[in-house]
Amino acid sequence: MSNQRAPRGIAPTIASLFPDGLPLSLRAYDGSSAGPSDSPYGLELVRERGLSYIMTAPGDLGLARAYVAGDLVLHGAHPGDPYEAFSLLKDSTDFGVPGPLELINVVRSLGLSHLLPPAPPPQEHLPTWRHRLEGLRGLGVGLGLGRHSHERDAEAIHHHYDVSNTFYEYVLGPSMTYTCAVFPDEGASLEEAQEHKYELISRKLDLKPGQRLLDLGCGWGGMVRHAAKHHGVKALGVTLSREQATWAQEEIKRQGLDHLAEVRHLDYRRIEEGDFDAISSIGLTEHIGVDNYRPYFAFAHDKLKPGGRMLNHCITRHDNISRSTGAFIDRYVFPDGELAGSGTIVSAAENAGLEVQHHENFRLHYARTLAGWSRNLAENWDACVAETDEGTARVWGLYMAGSRIAFERNEIQLHHVLATKTVDGDSAYPLRHDFGV
């Protein structure tokens, strides 16, 4: 960004904040415009509050606030699936905070009043612990508060997963599975791919009738039901979401599986039972914090029988360099969420005493999964808005489109890590595995 006087008009001034130029058209409520006029996609800033959002939180957070609040409107793409438009915009949103001279030019063009931050949209309402934390920061108090306490994790999970079971039914489809599907072939549907994923995990765990399975972070109980129904396993799932647990228990009873399957509203760290033949963890590691990987895997090691297997399925980074998840994801989607590379996962499992037997990347499968969820959201948009509100639906459209792009571009990945509780050199694992699917 140059230090010359900012162009006159709101749209040209905002466009000047994009270091590589605005990749789509922009109109503003003052009648000004900027960006390529022939773009199939355009943004329209319809009110002054949106400008204040953008000016007081430069980058993806300010743009997201304006978009979620309805102050920044996207044209040419459905808000439930803004993938194509967001693909153009994604690389251009990290424009940071203007330097002193640049800020003077921007303020001269747009007015000092726009540097007063408006209240964030209600979808960004911080959980109690974040309000407390930010209040302490404001007072200059040292923040020796540990992340991922039982209370703090429960509130973070509530923020994301207790939106509405009906909303999730529209977005996820009949499987009610909010984790990466595994597509057996190019023509497989989302539902077929979710079923295939559960069967693949069952085969990797070598589930057999009469065995006991523990599913950590079980969601709506998809793995628990699959293991009980198709493999005759006695399965226990736990989730920190009360909404998920209630739905899962009702579905277990509806399918007549309550003699084998159970889902509890419970922190996994409070499970008292042990001696399980197998443990599945599908999408939990993202929430527990990198510093807790080793005790998490140590917990799993303690809960397994000798020779038992654990399958960890989680989103990973493409490298093992620690970095934040980004302001939008942290405030609107996954509070306290943390990701690490698969090497970090493998090391933590090994350091906890597990022997890693197999390691597999499903990155492109998650991009396909997100495309399916986005399609569901767009097709059921009016019902999703009625079930929650338009701002929440916009958050989901934005988040899923952005995540899909990140998987396609290898910014993030999805890994299975299969490990055994090996005792005195005996892993009970075959010389060569054959998962048979």
Side-chain angles (χ1 to χ4, degrees), residues 46-373:
V46 298
R47 61 181 64 90
E48 192 172 9
R49 181 183 59 182
L51 177 59
S52 296
Y53 280 138
I54 294 169
M55 293 303 300
T56 55
D60 68 340
L61 181 59
L63 290 167
R65 283 173 170 168
Y67 179 73
V68 170
D71 299 340
L72 186 65
V73 177
L74 176 63
H75 297 289
H78 195 288
D81 190 6
Y83 166 77
E84 297 290 347
F86 193 47
S87 294
L88 295 175
L89 192 61
K90 189 173 185 293
D91 290 332
S92 306
T93 59
D94 188 20
F95 46 80
V97 179
L101 291 177
E102 296 161 327
L103 186 59
I104 289 172
N105 287 334
V106 170
V107 170
R108 184 182 292 131
S109 177
L110 300 180
L112 186 62
S113 64
H114 296 115
L115 294 181
L116 298 175
Q123 292 76 17
E124 194 185 321
H125 275 180
L126 298 179
T128 306
W129 49 263
R130 290 286 288 275
H131 282 301
R132 237 181 264 136
L133 210 60
E134 297 202 352
L136 289 172
R137 280 199 186 98
L139 294 172
V141 177
L143 299 177
L145 303 178
R147 301 179 82 184
H148 301 289
S149 66
H150 292 247
E151 176 188 356
R152 182 161 164 168
D153 279 352
E155 196 159 1
I157 293 299
H158 170 74
H159 174 84
H160 186 68
Y161 291 100
D162 290 345
V163 176
S164 157
N165 284 333
T166 302
F167 175 85
Y168 279 109
E169 288 172 357
Y170 286 125
V171 175
L172 304 180
S175 73
M176 282 295 275
T177 299
Y178 185 31
T179 48
C180 176
V182 176
F183 290 79
D185 54 64
E186 293 285 339
S189 68
L190 178 59
E191 289 302 307
E192 290 169 339
Q194 292 293 11
E195 184 75 6
H196 187 77
K197 181 263 301 290
Y198 286 133
E199 184 58 21
L200 176 61
I201 291 174
S202 298
R203 299 289 185 91
K204 287 183 174 182
L205 292 173
D206 196 28
L207 296 182
K208 294 181 173 65
Q211 289 185 334
R212 296 173 64 239
L213 168 70
L214 173 61
D215 189 28
L216 302 174
C218 67
W220 288 272
M223 181 64 198
V224 168
R225 294 193 306 278
H226 184 93
K229 182 176 182 179
H230 297 286
H231 296 274
V233 169
K234 190 168 180 61
L236 169 65
V238 296
T239 172
L240 273 177
S241 166
R242 189 179 300 277
E243 293 278 338
Q244 286 181 336
T246 299
W247 191 98
Q249 276 298 104
E250 290 174 354
E251 185 64 13
I252 285 169
K253 184 172 248 185
R254 190 187 72 79
Q255 293 191 22
L257 297 171
D258 41 334
H259 63 297
L260 288 175
E262 178 189 1
V263 167
R264 298 177 191 166
H265 175 230
L266 184 70
D267 191 303
Y268 79 89
R269 291 164 289 194
R270 291 183 168 139
I271 297 169
E272 295 181 357
E273 295 95 327
D275 219 26
F276 289 94
D277 296 281
I279 294 176
S280 53
S281 177
I282 308 173
L284 174 64
T285 321
E286 298 90 330
H287 298 288
I288 66 174
V290 176
D291 290 344
N292 291 318
Y293 283 0
R294 183 171 178 177
Y296 159 76
F297 284 110
F299 167 89
H301 181 277
D302 291 345
K303 294 295 181 182
L304 283 171
K305 286 181 177 178
R309 298 188 185 187
M310 179 186 188
L311 187 287
N312 194 77
H313 162 129
C314 74
I315 301 171
T316 53
R317 293 200 179 280
H318 69 284
D319 58 31
N320 290 278
I321 300 169
S322 177
R323 62 177 71 82
S324 69
T325 58
F328 169 69
I329 292 291
D330 182 55
R331 287 174 175 263
Y332 283 88
V333 185
F334 290 115
D336 273 358
E338 293 181 72
L339 302 179
S342 63
T344 303
I345 300 285
V346 169
S347 295
E350 291 174 338
N351 290 340
L354 294 167
E355 182 181 8
V356 172
Q357 303 287 356
H358 188 257
H359 180 198
E360 188 171 4
N361 184 5
F362 292 95
R363 174 176 65 84
L364 293 178
H365 291 262
Y366 217 156
R368 282 176 173 263
T369 303
L370 285 155
W373 291 340

